[in-house]
Amino acid sequence: MSLRPTVDFLLYDWLDVPSLSERERFADHSRETFDAVLDTCERIAREKYAPFNRLVDTQEPQFDGEKVILPQATHEANRAYAESGMLSAAQDYEEGGMQLPYTIEAAANGFFGLASVSIGSSLLTKGNANLLLVHGTEVQKAVFARNEFNGRFSGTMCLSEPQAGSSLSDITTRAVPDGADFEADPLGARYRLKGNKMWISAGEHELTENIVHLVLAKTPGPDGKLIPGTRGISLFIVPKKMVDAQGQLTGVRNDVALAGLNHKLGWRGTTNTLLNFGEGKFPVNGEAGAVGYLVGRPHEGLRCMFHMMNEARIGVGTAAVMLGLAGYYASLDYAKNRPQGRPVGPAGKDPTQPPVRIIEHADVKRMLLAQKSYGEGALALELYCARLVDEQHTGTPEAADDARLLLEVLTPIAKSWPSEWCLEANSLAIQIHGGYGYTRDFPVEQYWRDNRLNMIHEGTHGIQATDLLGRKVLMENGKGLQLLAGRINGTIERAMQVPELAAHANALGQALAQVGGATKAAWATGEPTDALANAVPYMQAFGHTVLAWIWLDVALSAHMATEGAARTGRLAAMRFFFHYELPKIGAWLQVVSSRDQTCASLPEEAF
């Protein structure tokens, strides 16, 4: 089964992406150019990624004492991706880009995630370069960002540390000015960094000429003392190899050393590292300390880094979607071809009859339909968020600000919902395969392992849920939540005019009211500890309501399509979500509304 028909429907029939060509930025494009990009990426993914997904899972990165060794297939896939121009697809022509809508870039990248999520690390490189375009100096943009976009350099994001994990207040990496002339360096104010960073994807490899690390570190305040918490954090460019102001390698290795490779449950084709900064293994000018160049202003590092982190959250959500769909396609194919069991008639089973294919069993259809509703619904959500990015960049001032606020509210959902429910889809794919699903003879166990990482990538459910209930639904006096409710009510009003969808519209309206009531009840005491004790159930209910809205909106477009299997399947997936999934929100919101303290108040000795 191919992803392309679903992508085409969502882009062209639902989101009307060709209408973006009416905007000045995208005037050179049309559906023909969009299709050409999708065709190219689909072909590269099919030829350079998909055949090697199992290979990179079994031939994990190895460190020989000097360099990290990756399969040749990874080098070839990385080269093909860079040569396609997709690293800078949505960038300005002046940056060497194609000025494609981000929605098209996001859809096209989906093919690579579907083919082999762990081969590529373009997500971090693009996010790194995009951050520098916004917060870097002109020289930093020219030397680092543009060389990332053209594929010479790759990029990382270095936040976590072994002792701190996601608690950035507790990072211990330090940065101090490098000499009396530290502010005169053409690459930016020059500092020396010392510390350790853990879980750094693509932190060491030979795929590109250089690696550009973006590193969070604490810097002294005006009084020379460190500022407690996150307010003292600054952001630095720390290249693996030193470069001059023209972006050429100087032949000097920066003081960044690989301390070890992490071997994870999944994404085994991606190098994951513990890096030591400034330990003296590669002294620069005879001195220990990794040379780093300040990005933005001192002590505003976290604000700058959030630019990259928000992109990465949506990227992680999309990766989870693609793994969910990969498992769905594999289990659908298996179910169509695996004979087992016989139908039950009035007299029971007739053993003289040949076994039927398992797709003819109702429970297998249930599991397939669940996967379809999770995967295709989540794909629609991610593309909707991508469309908001285009609106934020090219819409009218009012529309752009609305898109900004909607993205603030939806980003935690776009990351966490697929990483939970598309993982469940992978679990169902294993179940459909039966005992074979647990073996390496079939791909579904790898899809599950790869997807299990996405629940933690870019922040756990607890972190995303606290962000949603603790910040996003409250920000700007709740304007973002009100905007989202307005969009949902708009879909409800249109669906009420379609007899086949009216009952679902009513159900969505009731769910939205429940979420609104629970939001107010959670904060009724004004105490964060009361409100946030059940932030994750809140986010689960919120996410299910958002997905129900997305499905109803998609169903409005599907309803107008010509009769056929695709139309029937989309409407059935929508009905499944409303009948089997949306009713779950009542249990989640009950503990939120009552500010239940069962978990929060239990003393540790009672466990």
Side-chain angles (χ1 to χ4, degrees), residues 88-105:
S88 58
Q91 297 305 317
D92 296 347
Y93 292 136
E94 292 77 12
E95 300 290 349
M98 302 185 228
Q99 286 189 194
L100 279 171
Y102 179 67
T103 315
I104 294 297
E105 180 188 341

Side-chain angles (χ1 to χ4, degrees), residues 12 29 61 87 121 163 171 173 191 236 241 272 275 337 387 408 441 462 489 502 508 562 582:
Y12 302 136
H29 293 295
L87 282 167
S121 56
Q163 81 293 338
I171 66 171
T173 299
Y191 285 70
F236 299 90
K241 300 174 183 177
N272 191 272
L275 298 177
N337 291 285
R387 182 66 176 77
E408 290 281 7
D441 298 315
N489 280 320
L508 179 57
T562 56
L582 190 59

Side-chain angles (χ1 to χ4, degrees), residues 303-317:
R303 183 181 67 84
C304 296
M305 186 63 97
F306 262 111
H307 185 104
M308 185 175 181
M309 290 166 68
N310 284 334
E311 280 190 42
R313 287 184 186 185
I314 293 175
V316 166

